[in-house]
Amino acid sequence: MPPGCFCDMKVPELDIKLLKIQEDHERTHFYRWEMMRYSSTPIDVNLSTSFSYRAGGHMVRLILSARYTTLRDQMSHRLMDYSVISDFELLGPDAEADPDEIIITTDLIKMMLGVAIGAMRGMIALRTAHTFLAHYPLPVYDLETLMKPVINAASEVRSENTMSD
């Protein structure tokens, strides 16, 4: 998590607004040569996330990326990298009191991921409509499973903070 973001802290109220979701053209690539050479081998899809916070504006940017790969000749080959940028505005009762800090709970992160994954699923379906990748939509993910590393990291931070007190 970037500085200024804390997980698993209690927040009385939070007003969240989705400002925009758009394809990240710099991180989206279709590897057409590899797509032409594709030969019905299994396709793996891996997700990665990146969060950043803009102080003062109370904006959190989530960059969600999916990488489609396949094995050929015992080597992994990229077929597609697809990335979306989701901007959220987060305001709470004490937002004006401390513009450099905002509290993000794991439930809020889970909700933001759910919105971004749902949007990405539709965007990938549109962009791959006339290719063989249309038969490989973004998988359905269990958000609880995706969130386990974040929840475990937050629990470790919380236990370290209680030990030092």
Side-chain angles (χ1 to χ4, degrees):
M1 282 282 134
C5 293
F6 300 96
C7 295
D8 272 350
M9 296 178 73
K10 298 297 179 203
V11 179
E13 279 183 33
L14 194 63
D15 181 24
I16 182 169
K17 183 190 307 183
L18 175 62
L19 299 176
K20 69 179 175 181
I21 295 181
Q22 65 185 25
E23 181 179 298
D24 184 352
H25 298 291
E26 292 179 13
R27 290 185 180 97
T28 296
H29 303 284
F30 291 85
Y31 299 94
R32 303 212 188 278
W33 176 249
E34 294 298 339
M35 289 172 74
M36 287 175 27
R37 298 181 70 192
Y38 176 71
S39 60
S40 301
T41 54
I43 292 179
D44 291 320
V45 181
N46 294 306
L47 284 182
S48 63
T49 60
S50 170
F51 286 89
S52 61
Y53 172 68
R54 191 177 84 207
H58 300 286
M59 289 187 40
V60 174
R61 173 167 281 182
L62 164 59
I63 300 174
L64 180 65
S65 301
R67 174 168 287 165
Y68 282 62
T69 59
T70 189
L71 285 176
R72 189 179 66 250
D73 300 327
Q74 297 181 355
M75 292 182 64
S76 178
H77 295 271
R78 289 186 195 177
L79 299 170
M80 175 179 70
D81 291 329
Y82 196 85
S83 186
V84 295
I85 299 171
S86 305
D87 288 334
F88 297 89
E89 181 180 49
L90 305 173
L91 295 173
D94 55 3
E96 298 304 318
D98 191 355
D100 294 329
E101 186 174 286
I102 195 159
I103 298 169
I104 299 177
T105 65
T106 53
D107 287 337
L108 184 58
I109 292 171
K110 194 182 322 179
M111 184 182 71
M112 293 165 66
L113 275 173
V115 168
I117 289 171
M120 178 185 262
R121 184 172 288 115
M123 294 165 83
I124 286 176
L126 287 173
R127 291 278 274 149
T128 62
H130 300 293
T131 70
F132 76 92
L133 286 176
H135 303 289
Y136 299 93
L138 189 65
V140 174
Y141 291 97
D142 175 26
L143 291 177
E144 294 295 327
T145 303
L146 286 177
M147 290 298 298
K148 277 186 184 177
V150 174
I151 292 168
N152 291 340
S155 297
E156 288 175 16
V157 168
R158 204 174 31 240
S159 66
E160 287 175 8
N161 288 340
T162 56
M163 283 188 226
S164 65
D165 290 344

